[in-house]
Amino acid sequence: FTLSTFSNANASLISVDSSFGIDTITRDTSSGLEWLDPIESLALTYNYVAGQFGSGQEFEGFRHATRSEVQTLFTNAGLNLFFGDPNNNYFGGVNQNAQPFIDLLNLLGGSLTTNPVPNPGARIHGFTSTIITDGGSHSGLFAPVISIGQSIDSPDLLGSISATGLSSGQYGSDVGHWL
């Protein structure tokens, strides 16, 4: 049993073991939710994962999180966000202090890209159950992204939040699921 923790003034996030392996669940003691690290569900469609929630199946006991639940996790992790309209495909902002983003990325299984945390380009991207409609190319299942980057004006690392809409049949080698 491995126990890793991250705390801020409002919440404690704890990494625990699961049937998926060591440190594959992040427990948010403030919300009471347990999150399967998105890296454990990479390159799978929403339809496939949602079809694996039943007894004896790969993701038994899990479900896709809502946009609101993911926002709460981000807030409890100390990410400084600007939330927009619930149907807006983009929410968030750039935080000048990347450390809360680095801490959360490390807790949630590290990077879903070839750039390891805390290097620029490290990110986690995943499906939620929330459907967004903006009338444009970003309609679909809400898929938040947390990432680490750098400004061309400064060598300092920055944390950011963004999101897009994905179709239920879409997948990518760097896209997991918020379960």
Side-chain angles (χ1 to χ4, degrees):
F1 177 74
T2 304
L3 185 66
S4 302
T5 63
F6 165 78
S7 296
N8 68 25
N10 301 318
S12 181
L13 303 178
I14 302 166
S15 187
V16 297
D17 301 344
S18 76
S19 61
F20 286 87
I22 296 170
D23 289 337
T24 53
I25 297 285
T26 298
R27 182 177 296 146
D28 181 343
T29 61
S30 181
S31 71
L33 294 176
E34 293 188 335
W35 297 84
L36 179 63
D37 294 343
I39 200 164
E40 301 301 325
S41 59
L42 287 178
L44 301 173
T45 68
Y46 179 92
N47 290 336
Y48 174 82
V49 172
Q52 294 293 310
F53 293 152
S55 178
Q57 296 185 333
E58 186 175 0
F59 297 105
E60 176 182 356
F62 289 97
R63 63 172 173 76
H64 280 100
T66 65
R67 177 185 189 266
S68 176
E69 289 167 335
V70 174
Q71 287 180 354
T72 297
L73 172 67
F74 292 171
T75 300
N76 289 346
L79 304 187
N80 212 359
L81 304 180
F82 305 98
F83 298 103
D85 182 282
N87 289 320
N88 189 346
N89 70 301
Y90 174 82
F91 75 95
V94 174
N95 187 333
Q96 298 300 318
N97 177 7
Q99 194 58 54
F101 291 83
I102 292 168
D103 292 342
L104 185 58
L105 283 166
N106 281 326
L107 265 177
L108 292 173
S111 176
L112 299 187
T113 68
T114 57
N115 299 330
V117 175
N119 294 316
R123 70 185 193 143
I124 289 181
H125 187 187
F127 283 96
T128 69
S129 65
T130 302
I131 296 173
I132 56 171
T133 55
D134 70 356
S137 61
H138 295 293
S139 296
L141 292 155
F142 188 72
V145 183
I146 56 174
S147 60
I148 307 286
Q150 278 180 305
S151 164
I152 58 171
D153 301 328
S154 169
D156 295 336
L157 290 175
L158 304 172
S160 70
I161 295 288
S162 60
T164 191
L166 299 173
S167 76
S168 61
Q170 229 175 323
Y171 67 93
S173 61
D174 67 342
V175 179
H177 299 257
W178 295 102
L179 306 176

